Amino acid sequence: MEKLRVDLGERSYDIKIGEDILANLGQYLSELEIGKKVLIISNPLVDSLYGAEVEKAISEAGFEVEKALIPDGEKYKSLDTAKDLYDEAVAAGLDRTSSIVALGGGVVGDIAGFIAASFMRGINFIQVPTTVLAQVDSSVGGKVAVNHPQGKNLIGDFYQPQLVVADKKVLHTLEERELKAGLAEVIKYGFIWDEEFFSFLKDKREEVMNLDTQAVIKAIKTSCAIKAEVVEEDETEQGLRAILNYGHTIGHALEAVTNYDCYRHGEAVAIGMVAAARIAHKLDMLTVKEVKEHEELISDFGLPIRFEGVDHDQIINALTKDKKVEDGVIRFILAEKIGKVKILSDIPEAIIREVLAEIGGE
Amino acid sequence: MEKLRVDLGERSYDIKIGEDILANLGQYLSELEIGKKVLIISNPLVDSLYGAEVEKAISEAGFEVEKALIPDGEKYKSLDTAKDLYDEAVAAGLDRTSSIVALGGGVVGDIAGFIAASFMRGINFIQVPTTVLAQVDSSVGGKVAVNHPQGKNLIGDFYQPQLVVADKKVLHTLEERELKAGLAEVIKYGFIWDEEFFSFLKDKREEVMNLDTQAVIKAIKTSCAIKAEVVEEDETEQGLRAILNYGHTIGHALEAVTNYDCYRHGEAVAIGMVAAARIAHKLDMLTVKEVKEHEELISDFGLPIRFEGVDHDQIINALTKDKKVEDGVIRFILAEKIGKVKILSDIPEAIIREVLAEIGGE
Ligand SMILES: NC(=O)c1ccc[n+]([C@@H]2O[C@H](COP(=O)([O-])OP(=O)(O)OC[C@H]3O[C@@H](n4cnc5c(N)ncnc54)[C@H](O)[C@@H]3O)[C@@H](O)[C@H]2O)c1
Ligand SMILES: NC(=O)c1ccc[n+]([C@@H]2O[C@H](COP(=O)([O-])OP(=O)(O)OC[C@H]3O[C@@H](n4cnc5c(N)ncnc54)[C@H](O)[C@@H]3O)[C@@H](O)[C@H]2O)c1
Ligand SMILES: [Zn+2]
Ligand SMILES: [Zn+2]
């Protein structure tokens, strides 16, 4: 089992990464200073695969375990579902010393974290992420939220977990498309922070995609380490943390315009990273070769680098509605080279349109 | 205008206290680092009294002001109302730099603060408290919340405002009973922290109750200063902060058993402080004289020191269901002398029952 520490003063916590470590959950929880009651929040699919194992591990360590399931799907990451979960938390008799364990992907993690953050003004929270995206991204860093009909993650908080347990084993049951989409975020870390990691991913592409244990654990660990480093420096997204949104500006716009039912998040981010690379090239920040390296790595991981059938005006329109827009200024994260990015605003719309024309020819 | 600073590192803020200072709100807001958009949250009654003045002051300073009203009453401090307010925040086009101004009593302040804490993971929050309770207690210290059908303030957060503006003037329109109930919390600060303040209140009782400007401002300022000191030492209620719940253990139980429609919160706390004093006496902590001093001050302020018609078994039962109970242990805040309290658990039920018999003879 590999261990990483996220260093946030009083809010510091460990990330444990390994193969077949769900069975140790009870022991891990015993090492925390938490009360007897544990509420597992999951969804029916993940629960059917890993619920019994997790429940057993935790209750055998002497905890009183209750379980609350929410329907599967992004649309249930809502205030309505949150309301049901508060009812379940009350019914389970949770008190201030109790804990919520999120067992699932980013949807479960985000809403469970929101409940943990707000129930009795904050109870203990443990993340057991079961998708690639959740293991390398959403479970680390403390962003928790539910969606509002008018915007994703519009209602939320910064609330750090007490522990993250990423078991590589669970990735084997992921749908192929889900797996690949999650890897888009892994690739992202190479582009924004770590050229060596970029090279590693290039070299070990096959091992990672075939879920070779060593390669995947290294990929998860490096991703989490990068995210931790960024979050340690900027927990509440005053500045640096925004670089984690590399590829997300255009990515989010694409998702929004296609009503979130055409692209997986990671796929949209993949296209968004290509767009960002091409914008950077037009601003003399990246060379043609570096743009090509973006596109090759992304497409080698089975992710899209082009799109079609989406109106460019709508994308431009969606960009200005993004939550990350402040006082009307759209921010882009652009690479200066592979492994280093910076935040820019005031990218001329003409350049964005040129790039859209290149990769999303109508 | 008097100014107090609540010292919480990055989350520090000022409390401004004065007579007729609402008109300066625009200027005060201009001194903060906040964006152009401001959403005032209030209720119809308070809005009809002070809404126009506040809106004018803020918009004349160059802010874009929107307003959202919630129905008057504790029962609207709910997740359902919160949902409406999120819709209003979206409709108002708030972004991360925007601010929410709570104009009202503790109900408005608590729910507006919950929205501010969770909208886009936290936007600027300004408290303009308009009841005594809100000016001396709920607007300071960052507890924000909505109620759950099964428990008050069950869904909430710690989220500090950026500024608190307490205008003594607005207290003149309070109903007499509301005014007195709020003063129970003022008296509380004397009992728990400051014997001199206790003496001040004894001496200046009439001035305070007649809303003499100087006496009231001194009472508000001293109360806020004590609360600030306690919160500075224990922002998230790990220990010390619990002393602010003096009188609240029995008080909450009384409120709960009577379905929150018999006693004002402050009235229940008044009775609760008498109960606490009598329990302390039975544990050889307070003298008979000190118990009498409790009762005299409380009743001189027109607050109840006895109750009737409430089943004692139900009170005992409610005590064990209180949110502040952890792993089954009921905590009491008891005074060692006037101006000094400590936190005790394991008070024998028999003693509690004896005291209930003394002050709530059936
Ligand atoms: N908090 C953050 O910092 C952050 C960062 C990025 C994304 N997010 C959020 O994460 C969410 C997306 O997360 P996601 O991509 O994990 O989606 P998801 O949680 O919807 O999971 C995708 C699908 O995989 C299933 N699944 C999960 N684990 C499985 C397993 N081991 N085997 C088989 N199937 C499994 C789920 O039931 C679901 O159907 C979004 O709501 C997004 O906003 C949050
Ligand atoms: N956050 C905290 O730390 C904290 C502490 C104590 C209490 N509270 C909460 O505060 C709430 C109670 O607050 P409250 O006692 O202020 O009640 P409230 O907000 O309901 O106000 C009482 C009544 O006075 C009216 N009112 C307000 N200002 C007025 C004015 N200037 N003139 C005339 N009428 C006015 C209101 O419309 C309401 O009808 C409870 O929900 C309680 O949980 C919170
Ligand atoms: Zn992402
Ligand atoms: Zn109170």
Side-chain angles (χ1 to χ4, degrees):
Chain A
M1 188 260 293
E2 308 255 339
K3 206 170 83 175
L4 265 178
R5 183 94 181 146
V6 185
D7 210 338
L8 292 166
E10 285 179 346
R11 294 180 301 286
S12 297
Y13 54 97
D14 286 341
I15 305 173
K16 304 195 187 217
I17 305 161
E19 173 81 18
D20 208 6
I21 58 174
L22 287 186
N24 309 336
L25 260 175
Q27 184 206 316
Y28 299 158
L29 261 60
S30 305
E31 291 160 8
L32 304 173
E33 269 182 49
I34 61 175
K36 285 249 150 306
K37 287 207 169 146
V38 172
L39 176 66
I40 298 173
I41 297 180
S42 191
N43 74 29
L45 173 59
V46 178
D47 180 53
S48 72
L49 293 165
Y50 308 106
E53 178 177 0
V54 165
E55 201 171 338
K56 181 161 175 281
I58 299 179
S59 59
E60 281 184 356
F63 294 95
E64 290 168 32
V65 184
E66 302 275 347
K67 196 158 69 185
L69 300 184
I70 62 173
D72 197 346
E74 178 75 30
K75 78 169 173 211
Y76 297 102
K77 202 178 99 177
S78 66
L79 208 54
D80 286 332
T81 308
K83 204 174 169 191
D84 294 340
L85 286 173
Y86 289 124
D87 293 344
E88 302 251 20
V90 170
L94 301 194
D95 67 31
R96 289 183 189 192
T97 68
S98 306
S99 307
I100 284 178
V101 170
L103 174 67
V107 165
V108 164
D110 277 13
I111 193 168
F114 183 70
I115 302 296
S118 52
F119 191 71
M120 293 183 167
R121 297 200 178 86
I123 60 174
N124 304 300
F125 178 43
I126 291 108
Q127 288 267 24
V128 184
T130 62
T131 63
V132 174
L133 180 131
Q135 294 193 345
V136 303
D137 189 359
S138 63
S139 69
V140 174
K143 279 194 180 180
V144 298
V146 297
N147 301 325
H148 182 275
Q150 304 298 314
K152 277 196 63 173
N153 300 324
L154 218 51
I155 301 167
D157 203 346
F158 291 96
Y159 195 70
Q160 302 295 340
Q162 225 105 316
L163 174 70
V164 180
V165 179
D167 189 337
K168 182 235 129 191
K169 161 181 95 170
V170 304
L171 305 180
H172 288 265
T173 51
L174 280 178
E175 275 181 26
E176 171 99 8
R177 194 176 164 191
E178 211 62 67
L179 177 71
K180 286 183 192 160
L183 290 172
E185 307 278 359
V186 173
I187 296 172
K188 180 188 76 179
Y189 293 113
F191 289 143
I192 63 169
W193 200 260
D194 188 343
E195 196 176 355
E196 245 177 66
F197 187 45
F198 165 81
S199 301
F200 167 84
L201 290 170
K202 219 161 74 173
D203 294 347
K204 301 282 178 182
R205 180 180 60 86
E206 255 182 75
E207 285 88 337
V208 170
M209 292 187 76
N210 293 331
L211 292 180
D212 168 79
T213 299
Q214 224 188 317
V216 171
I217 287 181
K218 152 108 184 177
I220 297 172
K221 192 178 171 190
T222 308
S223 300
C224 287
I226 294 170
K227 178 144 187 189
E229 208 175 326
V230 171
V231 169
E232 281 165 5
E233 232 170 271
D234 176 23
E235 188 177 359
T236 56
E237 195 156 348
Q238 306 301 310
L240 181 70
R241 187 166 179 161
I243 70 168
L244 299 173
N245 287 320
Y246 189 57
H248 284 59
T249 312
I250 299 277
H252 280 156
L254 254 183
E255 285 182 275
V257 170
T258 55
N259 288 313
Y260 297 92
D261 59 19
C262 172
Y263 296 103
R264 291 282 202 282
H265 172 69
E267 295 166 354
V269 170
I271 295 167
M273 291 192 291
V274 169
R278 284 173 173 265
I279 292 171
H281 172 59
K282 288 189 193 295
L283 296 172
D284 284 329
M285 293 170 65
L286 286 186
T287 62
V288 175
K289 179 162 170 283
E290 287 168 317
V291 172
K292 206 162 161 249
E293 285 188 307
H294 265 77
E295 297 196 346
E296 271 174 13
L297 188 69
I298 293 170
S299 103
D300 281 354
F301 271 92
L303 287 160
I305 57 174
R306 299 286 183 271
F307 68 93
E308 56 181 23
V310 184
D311 182 44
H312 297 182
D313 289 335
Q314 283 192 303
I315 295 179
I316 297 287
N317 201 21
L319 285 176
T320 62
K321 277 208 200 123
D322 195 281
K323 186 171 43 138
K324 273 169 279 301
V325 171
E326 275 170 22
D327 277 322
V329 177
I330 306 170
R331 290 180 306 170
F332 266 92
I333 324 297
L334 298 180
E336 301 175 274
K337 59 173 197 144
I338 286 175
K340 190 156 185 355
V341 290
K342 60 180 184 180
I343 304 169
L344 285 99
S345 38
D346 288 326
I347 306 297
E349 189 181 312
I351 288 189
I352 303 172
R353 284 191 183 273
E354 269 178 49
V355 167
L356 293 179
E358 288 170 14
I359 66 171
E362 281 178 303
Chain B
M1 188 259 294
E2 308 254 340
K3 208 170 81 176
L4 266 179
R5 183 94 182 148
V6 185
D7 211 337
L8 292 165
E10 284 179 345
R11 294 180 300 287
S12 297
Y13 55 97
D14 286 340
I15 306 173
K16 304 195 188 220
I17 305 162
E19 173 79 18
D20 208 4
I21 59 173
L22 286 186
N24 309 335
L25 260 175
Q27 184 205 315
Y28 300 158
L29 262 61
S30 305
E31 290 161 7
L32 304 173
E33 270 182 49
I34 61 176
K36 285 249 151 304
K37 287 206 170 148
V38 172
L39 176 66
I40 298 172
I41 297 180
S42 191
N43 73 29
L45 173 58
V46 179
D47 181 54
S48 72
L49 294 166
Y50 308 106
E53 179 177 359
V54 165
E55 200 171 338
K56 182 162 174 281
I58 299 179
S59 59
E60 280 184 359
F63 293 96
E64 291 168 32
V65 184
E66 303 274 346
K67 196 159 68 185
L69 300 184
I70 61 172
D72 197 347
E74 178 77 30
K75 76 169 176 213
Y76 297 102
K77 203 178 98 177
S78 66
L79 209 54
D80 286 332
T81 308
K83 204 173 170 194
D84 294 339
L85 286 173
Y86 289 125
D87 293 345
E88 302 251 20
V90 170
L94 301 194
D95 67 32
R96 289 183 189 191
T97 68
S98 306
S99 306
I100 285 178
V101 170
L103 174 67
V107 166
V108 163
D110 277 13
I111 192 168
F114 183 71
I115 302 298
S118 52
F119 191 71
M120 292 183 168
R121 298 200 177 86
I123 62 174
N124 305 299
F125 179 42
I126 292 106
Q127 288 266 25
V128 184
T130 63
T131 63
V132 175
L133 180 133
Q135 294 193 347
V136 303
D137 188 358
S138 64
S139 69
V140 174
K143 280 194 181 179
V144 298
V146 296
N147 300 325
H148 182 275
Q150 303 300 311
K152 276 197 66 174
N153 301 323
L154 219 51
I155 302 167
D157 203 347
F158 291 96
Y159 193 70
Q160 301 294 340
Q162 225 105 318
L163 174 69
V164 180
V165 179
D167 189 338
K168 183 235 130 191
K169 161 181 92 171
V170 304
L171 305 181
H172 288 267
T173 52
L174 281 178
E175 274 181 26
E176 170 102 7
R177 194 176 164 191
E178 211 61 69
L179 177 71
K180 286 184 193 160
L183 289 172
E185 306 278 0
V186 172
I187 296 172
K188 179 189 76 180
Y189 292 113
F191 289 143
I192 64 170
W193 199 260
D194 187 344
E195 196 177 355
E196 244 176 68
F197 187 45
F198 165 81
S199 300
F200 166 85
L201 291 170
K202 219 161 73 172
D203 294 347
K204 302 282 178 181
R205 179 181 60 84
E206 255 183 74
E207 286 87 336
V208 170
M209 292 187 75
N210 293 330
L211 293 179
D212 168 79
T213 299
Q214 225 188 317
V216 171
I217 287 181
K218 152 110 184 175
I220 297 171
K221 192 178 172 190
T222 308
S223 299
C224 287
I226 294 170
K227 178 142 187 189
E229 209 176 324
V230 171
V231 169
E232 281 165 5
E233 231 170 89
D234 176 22
E235 189 177 359
T236 56
E237 195 157 347
Q238 306 300 311
L240 181 70
R241 187 166 178 160
I243 70 168
L244 298 173
N245 288 319
Y246 187 57
H248 284 61
T249 311
I250 300 276
H252 279 156
L254 254 183
E255 284 183 276
V257 170
T258 56
N259 287 313
Y260 297 92
D261 60 19
C262 172
Y263 295 104
R264 291 283 202 283
H265 172 68
E267 295 165 354
V269 169
I271 295 167
M273 292 191 291
V274 169
R278 285 172 173 265
I279 292 171
H281 172 60
K282 288 189 193 296
L283 296 172
D284 283 329
M285 294 169 65
L286 286 186
T287 62
V288 175
K289 179 163 170 282
E290 288 168 317
V291 172
K292 205 161 162 249
E293 285 188 308
H294 265 76
E295 298 195 344
E296 272 174 12
L297 188 69
I298 293 170
S299 101
D300 281 352
F301 272 92
L303 289 160
I305 56 173
R306 300 285 182 272
F307 68 95
E308 57 183 21
V310 184
D311 182 45
H312 297 182
D313 289 335
Q314 282 193 302
I315 294 180
I316 297 287
N317 200 21
L319 284 175
T320 62
K321 276 209 199 123
D322 195 282
K323 187 173 42 141
K324 274 168 276 305
V325 172
E326 275 170 23
D327 277 321
V329 179
I330 306 170
R331 292 181 305 170
F332 266 93
I333 325 298
L334 297 180
E336 302 173 274
K337 58 173 197 140
I338 285 177
K340 191 157 185 355
V341 290
K342 59 180 186 183
I343 304 168
L344 284 99
S345 38
D346 288 327
I347 306 297
E349 190 181 311
I351 288 190
I352 303 172
R353 286 190 182 272
E354 269 177 49
V355 166
L356 292 179
E358 288 169 12
I359 66 172
E362 281 178 303

